[in-house]
Amino acid sequence: MESHARVATDKAARYMTQLAKHWSHKFEVRYDETSALFPLPLGTCRMTAHVDGLDITLEAADLEGLTRLEDVVARHLDRFAFREGELKYGWTRAWFAGRVDPAAIRINAIH
């Protein structure tokens, strides 16, 4: 499963780099001025910094892991962005092609 967010901020590169340095003490993080890759126990996080925002893509094996990963990433970025206030994420989830998630089907079920 994947989840995507575009976070509006003019400090995208700063926050991404701070997170990369923070997590590089525990994980095999790769980053440069505009992108980062974080292989984490819950899944993978990729970021791309733009002048007006931060693109975030998360991958996890299941919905529970993806939900936890969204929360972990958001909480860490919010700590770095405390002067801006809470950032807006608006996560959009996608299932890998050909895979049906039973939990998503139940959302639309009539009870």
Side-chain angles (χ1 to χ4, degrees):
M1 297 186 66
E2 286 188 353
S3 188
H4 308 276
R6 170 72 179 215
V7 179
T9 178
D10 62 349
K11 296 172 182 66
R14 175 191 289 179
Y15 299 152
M16 180 191 71
T17 302
Q18 283 181 286
L19 185 59
K21 289 178 180 178
H22 175 73
W23 277 344
S24 68
H25 299 289
K26 291 183 177 182
F27 309 112
E28 296 289 325
V29 172
R30 290 183 292 189
Y31 68 99
D32 57 30
E33 298 82 27
T34 60
S35 64
L37 174 65
F38 308 95
L40 305 168
L42 291 171
T44 302
C45 174
R46 291 186 313 267
M47 294 184 181
T48 304
H50 302 277
V51 175
D52 61 346
L54 182 62
D55 287 330
I56 306 168
T57 300
L58 307 177
E59 292 181 26
D62 56 32
L63 183 59
E64 181 182 341
L66 190 62
T67 301
R68 290 179 57 206
L69 190 55
E70 289 170 346
D71 184 55
V72 166
V73 170
R75 280 188 291 118
H76 277 79
L77 287 172
D78 283 342
R79 276 189 237 148
F80 299 130
F82 68 94
R83 288 183 182 98
E84 277 189 66
E86 192 171 301
L87 299 172
K88 306 272 188 265
Y89 295 91
W91 297 106
T92 302
R93 294 180 178 162
W95 281 257
F96 298 125
R99 182 160 182 258
V100 175
D101 186 62
I105 294 170
R106 279 188 249 118
I107 291 171
N108 298 320
I110 298 173
H111 298 291

